[in-house]
Amino acid sequence: MPQQQRAKETRLAVIEGAATVFAATGYGNASLSDIIRNAAVTKGALYFHFTSKRDLALAVIEEQHSIVLAAGAAILGSESPALDKIIGLCRMFGRQLLDEPIVQAGIRLTFEASAFEADVSGRYEDWIGTVQQLLVEAQIHGTVRPDLDPATFSRYLVASFTGVQMLSDVLTGREDVLARIEQMWEFMLPALMPAR
C-alpha cells in the first residue's frame, strides 16, 4: 500500500476513534489515551496527524460536515421539488444522527465548541443559506406562500431542527429523533403553504 494512502487511512482511523470517544464522553472528558486506544493507533501516529485534542475535535467537526454535505448533495441534485428537498435534508440528517458516529460526535462537539474556542458558525450559515435558496425556489414554483421571508424562516427552521434533535438526545438518546422531525414538519408545513 502506498505510504500516502496508508497515512490517509491512519488519519481517518484516528478521526473515527476520536469520534466514538467524543460522542460518548464529550470534549472535556475525552482523553487522548482513550482516543489512541479506541482508534488502535500509536501515540506517534496520532501526533503525526494532530497536534492536540482541539485539533482533533476540529477535524471531527470538519469530517462530520463533509459527510453531511456528501449525503445532502444527492438530495440537492435530485429532481424533487424544493420543499421536498428541505424535508429530505432534515430526514437524512436525522438518520445520520442515529447511524453515523462521526456525525453524532461532530454535533456534540459543535454544541461544546466554546470549550475549545472553535467558531462553528459557518456550518450553520451554510445550512441556513441552503434552506433559504430552496425556499426562494419553492416560492417561484408556488409551493411556498409568496409573503414568506425565506431568510427569516430558514433561520427559524434550522433553530427548530437543532432544538428538536438536541431535546431528542437529552430525553431519549435520539431514539425518537425521526418521529420528532416528522412532528416538526407537521407544525411547519401549514405555515409554509400558500393560501387556497
Side-chain angles (χ1 to χ4, degrees):
M1 181 187 303
Q3 189 173 353
Q4 190 175 14
Q5 181 63 29
R6 195 165 45 246
K8 276 185 183 177
E9 289 180 7
T10 301
R11 184 179 190 279
L12 184 58
V14 173
I15 289 172
E16 288 172 344
T20 305
V21 174
F22 285 136
T25 65
Y27 181 81
N29 292 322
S31 72
L32 288 177
S33 58
D34 287 341
I35 291 168
I36 289 165
R37 187 169 42 258
N38 201 45
V41 298
T42 65
K43 192 176 198 178
L46 183 140
Y47 281 109
F48 177 79
H49 293 283
F50 303 100
T51 59
S52 64
K53 184 168 81 166
R54 179 182 187 275
D55 189 29
L56 189 48
L58 293 173
V60 170
I61 292 171
E62 190 60 41
E63 187 67 23
Q64 175 258 312
H65 193 56
S66 296
I67 290 169
V68 172
L69 288 178
I75 294 168
L76 293 172
S78 73
E79 296 297 318
S80 299
L83 189 52
D84 289 353
K85 289 179 183 180
I86 299 171
I87 296 169
L89 288 170
C90 289
R91 288 175 176 157
M92 174 270 300
F93 202 174
R95 282 190 297 275
Q96 287 182 327
L97 285 166
L98 291 174
D99 302 336
E100 292 275 358
I102 291 175
V103 173
Q104 294 164 0
I107 294 304
R108 181 164 185 170
L109 289 168
T110 298
F111 291 145
E112 298 176 353
S114 62
F116 51 100
E117 299 177 355
D119 179 6
V120 294
S121 61
R123 310 306 188 268
Y124 287 97
E125 287 166 2
D126 286 350
W127 194 12
I128 291 166
T130 298
V131 172
Q132 184 176 339
Q133 289 175 339
L134 290 169
L135 286 172
V136 169
E137 185 181 324
Q139 283 178 318
I140 292 167
H141 290 99
T143 54
V144 166
R145 50 181 243 252
D147 62 324
L148 182 91
D149 178 0
T152 301
F153 197 87
S154 62
R155 283 180 166 277
Y156 176 75
L157 173 64
V158 171
S160 297
F161 181 88
T162 301
V164 162
Q165 65 91 8
M166 182 188 280
L167 191 59
S168 172
D169 186 28
V170 169
L171 297 180
T172 71
R174 292 198 181 105
E175 285 180 17
D176 68 349
V177 70
L178 297 178
R180 298 297 172 220
I181 291 168
E182 295 307 315
Q183 287 178 334
M184 179 191 80
W185 279 108
E186 286 173 20
F187 288 112
M188 288 210 173
L189 282 173
L192 292 170
M193 295 293 112
R196 296 185 178 180

